[in-house]
Amino acid sequence: MTEKTERDHVSGTETTGHEWDGIKELDTPLPRWWLYIFYASIVAAVIYWVLMPAWPMVNGYTHGVLNWSDRRNVAAEVQTLEASRAPMFARLASASTADLARDPELQEFARAAGESAFGDNCQTCHGAGGAGAPGYPVLADDVWLWGGSLDEIEHTIRVGIRSGHPDARMSQMPAFGRDHMLSAAQIGDVTEYVISLSAARDRLHPNAQSAARGAQIYLEQCAVCHSATGAGDRTVGAPSLVDDVWLYGGSREEIRRQVELGRNGVMPTWERRFDDGTIRALAYYVHQMGGGEADQAALAPATSTPVLDQDQGQQSGANVTP
Amino acid sequence: MAKITLIDRRGSDDQHGIEAEAVNSKAARELYTKRQQIYPKLAHGFFRNLKWAAMVVLLAIYYITPWIRWDRGIDRPDQAVLIDFEGRRFFFFFIELWPQEVYYIVGLLVLASFGIFLSSALFGRVWCGYACPQTVWTDLYIYIERWIEGDRNERMRLAKAPLSLDKARKKVAKHTLWLLIAAATGGAWVFYFGDAPTLFREIFTGHADPSVYLFVGLLTFTTYALAGTMREQVCTYMCPWPRIQAAMTDQHALSVTYRGDRGEPRGPHKKGESWEGRGDCIDCHQCVAVCPQGIDIRDGDQLECINCALCIDACDEIMEKVGRPKGLIAYDTHVNVEKRQRGEPAKIHLVRSRTVLYAVLMVLVGAIMTYALATRSTLDLNVIRDRSPPFVRLADGGMRNDYALKLINMAPRVRRVRITVSGLDGAHLISNGHQVDANGAIEVDTQSDGVANVRVHVAAPSNVGPGSHPMRFTITDTETGEQAESASAFFAGAAP
């Protein structure tokens, strides 16, 4: 290189020799701090290759001397988390309804665990927050087919409804239309009568004559399960017909269709899928959605006061005892 | 432009003069020059002492504050000043703030802003000169440097000397001390965020959280870099305050000023010579030698000047020696310098409309904050209406809505509160776990200094029309009667 480099007289920096319309480009060196960080990055990269999983190979990849694995770490963390929750689940599984009622910590755990399990397993049919869907009962209201106490709800979750479980909750609404048990006119009459029994009469205005004809058919065909007054029977999961809550829809047509088709919903048994603690948590979560009913033994008011008093008692006791 | 060179011209027969180049002077400033190391000479005098005092007090506040204890009862942090991220609390002696009370911090920042506006309107960059951490730590670092390497001339000589055992020893000692101070600075910082004695033990036993070491390391690095090696560059290039300062100050604000009216024409002066027909400035460059920013104050107000007033001390010392009145460089205004040049009387206007306004605003904001703090409620209620399901139709034809209540109790004791609803005819509380009393109220315990979550349901009779109905929840302390309210709504389905 015999070519003499040119220096800019203001900055004292060499030029690259390039020139455009009299403008020359300075060959300004990289800032030193930048250059050092660049070199340091290269060094860090090489160290990383050695320590951590880095290069894809034909079969697998380089594992690195630290043997790091995010997958394994996550699995370990999940295991730690599950282990840390295990005692609470065990406590929940062995707690009686009364125990649960006076233990706010356990309630909070049950609610959280129940909400999580509900979201993963129940929400698809029963809706978020137990909002329900046509054919899938609303769990947040105070209308229960098979009973709304904590024990009853837990039992339903355990055995399911028409689930094939030996102890499953079982009953069958006949398909009066499809199986030609009643004529179309008779079904129309009984539909009018059912509407006249229910709170829906104010909005659907049943035909009085038709309803009167339907009354006789109701007593013969329906009253066995739904009772003469239409109050329903929880032992067989027969819904009350006096309120204005309808599993398969509350319009005249929808009520009629249920008499015709007698749809019977299925809820799976969850006993084999969940441990006792999770089932208890689910039952608690559903129970506290708003419509939960008291058990035979009435729920004691849950306040933190008794628990707190115990703590204080223990503390003062510890202070007194030498 | 001339290339800056440090020419050793010591030994001139000037009585007091020394050769000191203002490396950042206007004339010397070039776009492409590399940074010139500044070797500030030790000044003696009132302002130097004031700065020493400010340094000691401010460093003491910084390092000691986390160690002050303040008893708040059992199981409560006993650190007087603590930013507890984990517990989401800010403790300041008798004050305890929750995250949602961040407006007190905003108020404090507003107060600090007006404070700095006021101080700027009165005394210019007094913050920069005395109280800014950059100034304080740089001062401390220069003190260490001077202690190990000697004053200005010795340091310059050492810098130019070839590497020797002595030089290496001095450099190592200096940087070690700097790093120790830097580490202590970072260490003290983390103590504000955790229990200081515990954290102190953990740090030295290696049990502290990695984030603690990270922050100590980070602040060690920044302290060492900013105060040790970057110094005046931080003020000149990095800090926005000099720019903001330009907007905050006015011609009446006092700042460190060279009184050109008295000083010019400058020139060397020999003992016994007449002072007639010449200025008081003997061009001794002492003001330049002591300047940590590397400027010549005689060039007038400059961006680089942090108003540390050390040149005042340096000049006063010289004026005393040559028998002229002190105050050739002093806190003054440019307006006054011009007035005196025209032969008019100079006057200092500290009470001006803007200073009065700032002061009034400070008092106002301070009063509002004090009032707000003194009367703040320790009970609060947040209501979150469940949206899925948006409403539930009940067997009796009524409607039900569900609510999650957050009972916020800022008092350090469990308080029992009564929950009631109002504002919607026929609406009443339902609860799974809690008993509703004859008045339709639910009594629950709050958490001590915490948030209790309570889920309640509200049912309204069947005649409640569709749409959204406003209603409100109230909690009442059963002992003190203190109340907190929260507006909410009852939704009864969309209108058909």
Side-chain angles (χ1 to χ4, degrees):
Chain A
M1 292 292 253
T2 52
E3 208 177 319
K4 213 181 159 198
T5 50
E6 186 185 10
R7 261 178 205 283
D8 173 58
H9 71 280
V10 177
S11 61
T13 310
E14 287 178 11
T15 70
T16 56
H18 306 154
E19 185 180 338
W20 294 271
D21 297 341
I23 300 169
K24 289 177 182 173
E25 188 187 17
L26 291 185
D27 191 11
T28 311
L30 289 167
R32 272 173 302 168
W33 63 266
W34 190 93
L35 205 61
Y36 293 150
I37 290 173
F38 179 63
Y39 291 146
S41 307
I42 293 172
V43 173
V46 174
I47 293 171
Y48 188 93
W49 296 343
V50 176
L51 296 179
M52 303 287 281
W55 287 99
M57 309 293 275
V58 180
N59 300 311
Y61 57 93
T62 59
H63 287 267
V65 296
L66 289 185
N67 204 22
W68 178 274
S69 162
D70 274 333
R71 193 181 291 269
R72 219 169 32 240
N73 292 349
V74 170
E77 271 170 41
V78 168
Q79 211 163 24
T80 313
L81 194 69
E82 276 170 0
S84 75
R85 285 174 183 170
M88 281 304 274
F89 272 117
R91 228 170 98 191
L92 192 58
S94 61
S96 71
T97 310
D99 288 341
L100 187 56
R102 73 172 95 83
D103 188 344
E105 191 196 0
L106 202 57
Q107 286 171 9
E108 201 165 311
F109 179 80
R111 200 190 123 67
E115 186 172 13
S116 162
F118 187 88
D120 288 346
N121 299 282
C122 317
Q123 196 163 306
T124 322
C125 297
H126 286 291
Y136 303 98
V138 178
L139 301 178
D141 64 11
D142 57 350
V143 177
W144 300 94
L145 297 174
W146 297 92
S149 70
L150 199 56
D151 286 345
E152 294 285 8
I153 294 170
E154 187 176 330
H155 185 68
T156 306
I157 296 170
R158 234 173 237 291
V159 299
I161 298 163
R162 305 176 194 101
S163 61
H165 186 283
D167 298 325
R169 298 208 189 261
M170 195 63 204
S171 69
Q172 193 162 14
M173 163 93 179
F176 290 99
R178 193 185 61 212
D179 296 342
H180 308 294
M181 294 167 75
L182 293 173
S183 70
Q186 285 175 313
I187 289 173
D189 290 342
V190 95
T191 303
E192 293 305 307
Y193 180 68
V194 167
I195 291 169
S196 76
L197 277 180
S198 76
R201 62 182 168 267
D202 295 335
R203 58 184 177 87
L204 294 178
H205 311 294
N207 180 316
Q209 286 180 327
S210 181
R213 289 197 299 273
Q216 191 53 38
I217 307 164
Y218 179 87
L219 279 177
E220 287 165 9
Q221 303 287 350
C222 317
V224 176
C225 295
H226 290 287
S227 91
T229 57
D233 184 356
R234 284 182 179 179
T235 56
V236 292
S240 157
L241 301 176
V242 297
D243 57 25
D244 195 7
V245 177
W246 307 90
L247 183 53
Y248 292 95
S251 74
R252 179 176 264 107
E253 269 318 297
E254 285 165 329
I255 295 168
R256 188 194 160 98
R257 275 174 71 77
Q258 177 59 4
V259 181
E260 280 175 343
L261 302 174
R263 284 160 294 194
N264 293 292
V266 172
M267 170 164 144
T269 161
W270 297 97
E271 201 173 45
R272 273 161 261 166
R273 186 135 171 196
F274 294 138
D275 56 52
D276 289 350
T278 308
I279 289 180
R280 177 66 57 84
L282 270 172
Y284 179 79
Y285 177 68
V286 170
H287 185 264
Q288 59 80 60
M289 278 175 176
E293 293 169 355
D295 277 293
Q296 282 80 354
L299 280 172
T303 61
S304 53
T305 326
V307 179
L308 229 127
D309 284 351
Q310 275 173 8
D311 282 351
Q312 280 165 356
Q314 279 165 5
Q315 266 173 19
S316 57
N319 287 343
V320 172
T321 318
Chain B
M1 289 206 201
K3 183 125 175 64
I4 300 298
T5 42
L6 280 166
I7 306 158
D8 197 352
R9 278 183 287 180
R10 264 173 294 110
S12 69
D13 54 3
D14 235 344
Q15 194 183 352
H16 302 287
I18 59 163
E19 275 310 319
E21 295 261 5
V23 299
N24 286 334
S25 77
K26 277 179 181 169
R29 204 176 300 142
E30 260 192 279
L31 224 47
Y32 288 100
T33 42
K34 268 174 66 181
R35 183 213 178 202
Q36 304 265 334
Q37 183 65 37
I38 298 167
Y39 304 91
K41 186 170 180 267
L42 176 63
H44 304 275
F46 173 75
F47 290 105
R48 180 63 269 180
N49 291 339
L50 192 62
K51 271 170 70 71
W52 286 139
M55 185 175 109
V56 168
V57 170
L58 292 170
L59 288 177
I61 289 174
Y62 178 71
Y63 287 113
I64 293 171
T65 303
W67 296 91
I68 303 172
R69 300 290 103 183
W70 189 268
D71 184 26
R72 294 190 180 88
I74 303 160
D75 287 343
R76 313 259 300 140
D78 65 345
Q79 188 157 316
V81 179
L82 177 67
I83 301 162
D84 182 1
F85 274 121
E86 222 162 275
R88 293 173 195 171
R89 297 285 183 279
F90 171 59
F91 298 98
F92 184 84
F93 294 93
F94 59 94
I95 301 171
E96 178 189 339
L97 293 184
W98 285 43
Q100 61 263 45
E101 295 179 295
V102 69
Y103 41 78
Y104 288 113
I105 309 291
V106 174
L108 218 56
L109 290 176
V110 171
L111 209 57
S113 299
F114 284 132
I116 209 156
F117 293 171
L118 178 63
S119 71
S120 300
L122 292 174
F123 307 114
R125 290 174 68 175
V126 68
W127 164 262
C128 300
Y130 300 88
C132 177
Q134 175 64 24
T135 295
V136 171
W137 262 271
T138 303
D139 230 13
L140 179 64
Y141 269 47
I142 293 176
Y143 177 84
I144 302 286
E145 189 172 75
R146 188 182 296 123
W147 180 53
I148 291 172
E149 298 181 353
D151 209 353
R152 176 182 162 87
N153 291 339
E154 289 167 82
R155 296 211 297 278
M156 290 171 82
R157 217 177 300 133
L158 187 71
K160 265 187 284 182
L163 189 65
S164 66
L165 205 63
D166 185 53
K167 182 171 174 173
R169 186 187 60 79
K170 281 178 174 168
K171 292 280 175 201
V172 167
K174 179 178 82 174
H175 287 281
T176 308
L177 268 177
W178 279 2
L179 278 170
L180 281 176
I181 292 169
T185 307
W189 178 262
V190 297
F191 292 158
Y192 284 86
F193 299 88
D195 184 55
T198 314
L199 214 51
F200 185 79
R201 208 171 37 246
E202 283 178 356
I203 287 174
F204 283 99
T205 51
H207 289 98
D209 194 79
S211 67
V212 169
Y213 293 108
L214 180 76
F215 275 97
V216 172
L218 206 65
L219 281 142
T220 304
F221 169 73
T222 51
T223 308
Y224 175 78
L226 297 187
T229 61
M230 295 173 75
R231 293 188 181 171
E232 81 288 346
Q233 299 173 96
V234 175
C235 310
T236 312
Y237 302 116
M238 291 167 64
C239 180
W241 184 241
R243 276 78 179 171
I244 297 169
Q245 178 74 25
M248 293 317 309
T249 191
D250 63 17
Q251 70 272 29
H252 297 296
L254 289 182
S255 64
V256 175
T257 307
Y258 166 64
R259 285 168 168 159
D261 56 303
R262 209 190 104 186
E264 299 299 324
R266 65 181 84 154
H269 177 268
K270 288 220 167 66
K271 209 168 186 177
E273 273 181 5
S274 161
W275 290 93
E276 280 304 314
R278 58 155 295 148
D280 281 349
C281 177
I282 62 166
D283 210 6
C284 64
H285 281 110
Q286 287 293 350
C287 55
V288 173
V290 296
C291 182
Q293 302 296 100
I295 58 165
D296 188 337
I297 190 65
R298 295 171 302 172
D299 292 342
D301 267 349
Q302 289 152 80
L303 179 94
E304 290 85 350
C305 179
I306 58 166
N307 274 237
C308 66
L310 292 179
C311 49
I312 298 181
D313 281 346
C315 190
D316 281 351
E317 213 179 345
I318 296 296
M319 286 299 111
E320 204 168 3
K321 275 184 190 162
V322 300
R324 300 299 293 171
K326 289 181 178 182
L328 178 57
I329 303 173
Y331 274 104
D332 205 345
T333 70
H334 193 55
V335 176
N336 282 349
V337 173
E338 283 180 344
K339 273 186 178 169
R340 277 192 295 263
Q341 256 159 359
R342 291 197 299 270
E344 294 167 28
K347 211 182 158 208
I348 286 168
H349 296 277
L350 284 185
V351 182
R352 311 192 297 279
S353 52
R354 70 188 288 168
T355 57
V356 171
L357 180 70
Y358 290 149
V360 168
L361 283 174
M362 278 182 78
V363 171
L364 203 67
V365 172
I368 290 171
M369 278 182 63
T370 312
Y371 175 78
L373 202 62
T375 59
R376 77 176 178 145
S377 168
T378 53
L379 200 62
D380 202 0
L381 173 66
N382 287 349
V383 177
I384 303 155
R385 214 186 70 84
D386 275 6
R387 287 178 300 176
S388 68
F391 62 93
V392 175
R393 192 180 296 277
L394 300 176
D396 65 1
M399 291 283 192
R400 203 193 71 218
N401 278 200
D402 306 332
Y403 303 86
L405 268 51
K406 288 185 182 298
L407 314 177
I408 299 164
N409 172 25
M410 299 184 192
R413 61 179 193 282
V414 173
R415 293 199 281 180
R416 199 162 178 78
V417 295
R418 251 192 22 252
I419 306 170
T420 48
V421 286
S422 58
L424 180 62
D425 279 345
H428 57 277
L429 283 169
I430 308 173
S431 170
N432 281 84
H434 306 283
Q435 217 144 30
V436 181
D437 67 20
N439 301 319
I442 296 173
E443 275 194 18
V444 292
D445 281 331
T446 57
Q447 278 187 22
S448 160
D449 187 48
V451 182
N453 293 302
V454 177
R455 286 178 52 81
V456 298
H457 315 284
V458 175
S462 53
N463 60 5
V464 64
S468 181
H469 307 278
M471 54 167 292
R472 54 202 310 104
F473 285 86
T474 309
I475 54 172
T476 313
D477 188 322
T478 52
E479 270 175 46
T480 63
E482 192 179 344
Q483 282 195 334
E485 271 195 338
S486 180
S488 189
F490 187 93
F491 184 61

